[in-house]
Amino acid sequence: MLTRHTTRTSYQHLEKVVRSTLSLMHDMDVALRAGRRMRVTSYGMYGYALLSSANFIDVSMVNNKYILSGSPFCQAPMILQGNGGYCTLTPRQWTDPADMAYRFSVEFALAAHLSVCRDVTGGKFRFSRVELAYPRPSYGRAYEEILECPVSFDQEDNIYWFEAPGVQDPLPFADVRTNAMVLEICEKLLSELNVSGGIAADVRELLVEYVGHFPDLEGVAAELGMHPRALRRRLTNEDTSFRELLRDVRMRLAVEYLRKTELTNEEISCRLGYSDAANFRHAFKRWTGCSPSEYRGMDSSES
C-alpha cells in the first residue's frame, strides 16, 4: 500500500510507527539520522512547491501554508528576519516534552528541515543555533554533529535559528509555471485535509465569510453553536488556536490581494480588519520578512 501514491496514512498509523520504532531501535539518534537523509523530493507535491519557489521568501510562505500536506510531525511556522530567521517546532500528535515520541518528532523534523532547505537553496542554508524543550539526552553530541550548530536543552520551546543569505535572490530550481501547478495541487490536498480536519476548517471558513469584520472567538463559537471554552479546547486538540487561524486567514488573503488585485495597502488593511495601513504593513513584514510593496514588486517582476 505504501508504494501507491494514492495511499493516505492517519495519525494513528504515525503513532504506531513511532512507538514501534522507539521499542525496537538500538541507535538512539535514529530520528536525527533518518531526518537528515530526507530530500526535498521525498515530500511529493509539497516538496516540489518548495523546490520551484522563486526565492526563500516564497519558500517560507509555502512552508507556513502547506506544511500539513507534506509533513505530519510538527507545526513549523517560519519567520524571516533579514537574511535568516527562526522556526518554532510544535509536535502535532504529542504534547508532553517528557514523551519519547515528542522528542522523536522534533528530532526528525529538525534534521529534515535542515536537509530540505539545503536542497532548495543549493546549500546556502544553515542552522545558527537550536533550542529544545526537553533535557539533553545521553546522545546529545549527535545533535551538534548532525545539525552542525550549538544546541541548548531545557528551554521553553523547540526553536531553530537559521541563516539563508539572499532571501530575495532567485533559487537554483525556481520555475514559475511548475510552481503554479504544484501549488494548485497543494491547495487541493490542504482542502482535503481540512475536510477531515474538524473544527479548525469550520473556523477558517467562517473567518473567510466575514472578511472585513472578522468575529472574535466568542462570535465564532456562537455561530457554531458552541461555548467559547469548548471551541478553544477543540482547537487545542487539533494543535491550533483561534489566534493562529485568524493570522493564517489574514496572511493568505493578503498574499492573494497583493498578487491578484491593485488594491492599496489602506484598502487591504481595511479588508483584513486592521485599524490602519501601518499595522497591516508591520504584520505582513512579520509573516514574510518584507513589506507589502516589496512583495508586490517581486511578484510583478516575476510575471
Side-chain angles (χ1 to χ4, degrees), residues 45 48-49 52-54 173-185 302-303:
M45 288 300 155
Y48 282 105
S52 59
S53 293
F173 303 101
D175 187 284
V176 174
R177 291 175 62 84
T178 299
N179 192 249
M181 179 181 68
V182 294
L183 284 179
E184 185 175 334
I185 297 172
E302 289 164 19
S303 56

Side-chain angles (χ1 to χ4, degrees), residues 248-261:
D248 181 59
V249 168
R250 278 175 157 167
M251 180 177 71
R252 295 187 193 193
L253 289 172
V255 169
E256 290 299 304
Y257 289 145
L258 290 169
R259 283 182 167 172
K260 298 181 180 180
T261 77

Side-chain angles (χ1 to χ4, degrees), residues 40-80:
V40 67
T41 50
S42 304
Y43 288 96
M45 288 300 155
Y46 168 67
Y48 282 105
L50 294 172
L51 191 63
S52 59
S53 293
N55 50 48
F56 202 81
I57 292 175
D58 279 1
V59 168
S60 69
M61 296 286 285
V62 171
N63 170 82
N64 293 350
K65 183 174 181 180
Y66 297 113
I67 191 170
L68 178 60
S69 68
S71 179
F73 276 116
C74 293
Q75 292 178 308
M78 186 178 284
I79 306 297
L80 297 184

Side-chain angles (χ1 to χ4, degrees), residues 19-298:
R19 296 293 180 191
S20 297
T21 304
L22 289 169
S23 68
L24 294 170
M25 68 186 188
H26 301 290
D27 300 320
M28 300 302 290
D29 62 351
V30 63
L32 285 166
R33 291 188 291 105
R36 197 67 182 87
R37 287 199 299 269
M38 296 297 287
R39 301 263 70 90
V40 67
T41 50
S42 304
Y43 288 96
M45 288 300 155
Y46 168 67
Y48 282 105
L50 294 172
L51 191 63
S52 59
S53 293
N55 50 48
F56 202 81
I57 292 175
D58 279 1
V59 168
S60 69
M61 296 286 285
V62 171
N63 170 82
N64 293 350
K65 183 174 181 180
Y66 297 113
I67 191 170
L68 178 60
S69 68
S71 179
F73 276 116
C74 293
Q75 292 178 308
M78 186 178 284
I79 306 297
L80 297 184
Q81 295 178 333
N83 283 325
Y86 64 92
C87 180
T88 303
L89 299 174
T90 305
R92 300 179 186 277
Q93 184 82 339
W94 306 279
T95 58
D96 183 5
D99 188 340
M100 290 281 286
Y102 177 102
R103 188 186 69 193
F104 185 100
S105 65
V106 171
E107 290 174 346
F108 185 92
L110 270 174
H113 278 223
L114 178 60
S115 181
V116 167
C117 287
R118 284 190 172 172
D119 282 351
V120 169
T121 61
K124 296 178 180 179
F125 180 96
R126 62 182 294 272
F127 288 168
S128 52
R129 73 181 190 277
V130 171
E131 294 183 359
L132 299 170
Y134 47 84
R136 183 182 180 90
S138 59
Y139 55 95
R141 178 176 292 183
Y143 281 81
E144 285 85 359
E145 293 174 352
I146 292 173
L147 303 179
E148 301 175 12
C149 72
V151 181
S152 303
F153 296 88
D154 290 312
Q155 305 298 308
E156 290 187 7
D157 294 298
N158 307 299
I159 303 177
Y160 68 77
W161 278 263
F162 61 89
E163 297 174 10
V167 294
Q168 297 186 31
D169 294 346
L171 291 174
F173 303 101
D175 187 284
V176 174
R177 291 175 62 84
T178 299
N179 192 249
M181 179 181 68
V182 294
L183 284 179
E184 185 175 334
I185 297 172
C186 285
E187 190 69 42
K188 182 175 182 295
L189 289 172
L190 187 63
S191 298
E192 291 172 357
L193 289 167
N194 280 341
V195 167
S196 60
I199 201 66
D202 294 335
V203 172
R204 282 195 193 95
E205 187 174 333
L206 265 175
L207 289 173
V208 171
E209 289 178 8
Y210 285 91
V211 170
H213 46 95
F214 294 113
D216 57 13
L217 183 137
E218 287 73 18
V220 170
E223 287 277 351
L224 296 173
M226 302 173 60
H227 191 281
R229 191 159 49 242
L231 175 58
R232 190 178 290 110
R233 183 171 59 251
R234 288 186 61 181
L235 289 175
T236 299
N237 290 340
E238 294 183 15
D239 298 319
T240 189
S241 68
F242 179 78
R243 185 175 180 179
E244 289 178 0
L245 293 173
L246 178 58
R247 180 190 61 197
D248 181 59
V249 168
R250 278 175 157 167
M251 180 177 71
R252 295 187 193 193
L253 289 172
V255 169
E256 290 299 304
Y257 289 145
L258 290 169
R259 283 182 167 172
K260 298 181 180 180
T261 77
E262 297 182 0
L263 292 172
T264 66
N265 286 347
E266 288 73 16
E267 291 169 326
I268 294 175
S269 68
C270 181
R271 291 184 180 222
L272 298 183
Y274 287 99
S275 57
D276 56 49
N279 286 336
F280 164 60
R281 286 195 297 271
H282 293 153
F284 193 84
K285 191 150 191 174
R286 283 199 307 273
W287 300 331
T288 66
C290 65
S291 70
S293 57
E294 289 170 337
Y295 189 87
R296 177 172 266 163
M298 286 185 292

